Amino acid sequence: MKLYATSIPQFLPSWANVISNNAGLIEVEINDEDPGFHSMIEELSTEIEPGIIGVKASDLCLMFSIEMVDTNEEN
């Protein structure tokens, strides 16, 4: 899984790696098979919609002080 961010903390968890940092856009790759990542996902899991359990990307980013790029914004 990949996230695109405008800012990230100095130290990322072992399951997250910076792939590139070009012109202020940081590409972060998440190893979603890492046990530490799974443990954290279980902790953040909520009911997103009736009957659907998951993790909101905004909650994940907030937990790790990552400012994610909103690709839905009109430029």
Side-chain angles (χ1 to χ4, degrees):
M1 168 176 32
K2 291 183 182 177
L3 296 174
Y4 295 90
T6 54
S7 68
I8 59 172
Q10 185 174 0
F11 299 103
L12 292 172
S14 61
W15 42 261
N17 294 301
V18 174
I19 301 301
S20 66
N21 185 351
N22 295 316
L25 184 63
I26 305 163
E27 181 179 12
V28 179
E29 186 171 57
I30 305 294
N31 177 1
D32 56 4
E33 295 181 10
D34 186 282
F37 179 74
H38 281 277
S39 173
M40 188 268 318
I41 289 294
E42 288 176 13
E43 183 179 317
L44 290 176
S45 293
T46 60
E47 188 171 35
I48 296 173
E49 292 181 16
I52 299 176
I53 304 296
V55 175
K56 295 179 182 177
S58 60
D59 292 344
L60 178 64
C61 291
L62 182 62
M63 183 174 198
F64 293 102
S65 302
I66 296 172
E67 187 175 329
M68 194 169 76
V69 174
D70 184 354
T71 58
N72 293 321
E73 285 184 3
E74 291 185 24
N75 294 323

